[in-house]
Amino acid sequence: MTALAINTDVGEGFGVWGPADEGELLDQVTAANVACGFHAGDPDILRRTCAASTARGVAIGAQVSYRDLAGFGRRFIDVPTATLVNEVLYQMGALEIFARLAGGRISYLKAHGALYNAAAHHAGQAAALVEAVTLYDRTLPLLCQPRTVLWERAVAAGLRPQAEAFIDRGYTDEGLLVPRSAPGALVTDPAEAARRAVGMALTGTVTSVNGRTVRVAPDGGEIAALCVHSDTPGAVAITAAVRKELAGAGVAVTTPGEPAGADSGADSGVRP
């Protein structure tokens, strides 16, 4: 049976800014990409988000970023590799204590925004993410896109890269994400998103904004995770529709790193 995780970005506030309650979305996903304080998040938000996630059995992932609160981590910053390693470890350390206090742990790592996109082709920044995971825990799953520089470096280092695809984002003909400033960047219709999710889960492919079929799964493998962004309009409805369609297609929903066929409640539509 095909199995995958559904993750979403949460904790993306600062001080009085940001969503007060992300419970509805956390009820639908199996993994929470928690902002670690560099692009969003503060100690109160990190602790609250970790507690809300573990209470629901949702895996906690470290969503690391450039040090860019003003730009929400969506601006490229050419951080030296050695510095970026330390900045990633710093963010993981901040999240780790709050995950532990909530009775959980960091279950995977995923870059946010511009860092995610840059590491797909920037050797130095991909190397920094790989080194940070190696130093922290080389068994930790690393969510990223296959056939990218980050993926190849992770494989070469003996890490556990897991292929991620995006429910609510358009794809280029190269299998990468359409820039948010370009037409077709977002997919907001729940029915369309659900159809795309099932297609990516079962075939490992998606239709690009130019109408081409592109592969988003690794060669000879399957997608391990689907992502929906919490700030996409209608994110809760999108995720609910995706879960329903996946269950109907016999696709189990798990947490990152959980083996295919694990009992996750996917057939009943109930979050694990």
Side-chain angles (χ1 to χ4, degrees):
M1 177 185 290
T2 298
L4 45 73
I6 300 178
N7 68 73
T8 190
D9 303 346
V10 289
E12 293 184 325
F14 193 81
V16 299
W17 305 104
D21 183 8
E22 296 176 308
E24 282 190 285
L25 189 53
L26 287 173
D27 285 338
Q28 296 292 336
V29 301
T30 61
N33 314 320
V34 182
C36 296
F38 270 30
H39 75 280
D42 60 34
D44 288 342
I45 293 174
L46 264 69
R47 187 165 189 178
R48 182 169 68 240
T49 305
C50 286
S53 299
T54 55
R56 292 169 167 82
V58 172
I60 294 172
Q63 185 159 51
V64 298
S65 171
Y66 293 128
R67 189 190 296 269
D68 184 27
L69 280 174
F72 196 58
R74 288 180 175 165
R75 302 181 294 188
F76 172 73
I77 302 175
D78 195 6
V79 184
T81 300
T83 298
L84 187 55
V85 171
N86 291 332
E87 292 191 343
V88 170
L89 291 170
Y90 183 96
Q91 292 174 78
M92 296 177 77
L95 181 62
E96 175 72 25
I97 184 61
F98 293 117
R100 289 189 179 188
L101 288 173
R105 60 184 177 85
I106 294 178
S107 297
Y108 62 94
L109 182 135
K110 174 183 173 179
H112 166 81
L115 179 55
Y116 188 101
N117 293 328
H121 59 81
H122 192 294
Q125 307 216 337
L129 290 171
V130 168
E131 183 176 347
V133 173
T134 301
L135 291 170
Y136 178 85
D137 178 359
R138 63 183 308 107
T139 69
L140 197 71
L142 172 62
L143 268 57
C144 59
Q145 292 175 283
R147 291 176 297 281
T148 59
V149 172
L150 178 56
W151 179 276
E152 298 301 332
R153 283 186 172 265
V155 169
L159 301 184
R160 298 176 59 200
Q162 296 200 343
E164 179 179 41
F166 292 81
I167 297 167
D168 56 349
R169 293 294 307 277
Y171 277 84
T172 68
D173 292 346
E174 294 72 36
L176 299 176
L177 299 182
V178 173
R180 285 181 176 268
S181 59
L186 290 181
V187 177
T188 58
D189 177 65
E192 180 184 358
R195 286 193 298 270
R196 283 162 48 93
V198 171
M200 290 188 285
L202 296 181
T203 71
T205 65
V206 70
T207 301
S208 75
V209 290
N210 293 319
R212 295 186 179 181
T213 299
V214 295
R215 187 160 181 80
V216 292
D219 298 331
E222 298 180 336
I223 292 168
L226 290 170
C227 176
V228 59
H229 293 86
S230 60
D231 58 356
T232 294
V236 173
I238 289 171
T239 311
V242 166
R243 290 213 54 162
K244 181 178 179 180
E245 289 299 312
L246 289 175
V251 179
V253 178
T254 67
T255 53
E258 188 174 349
D263 183 7
S264 65
D267 291 340
S268 65
V270 178
R271 174 196 47 76

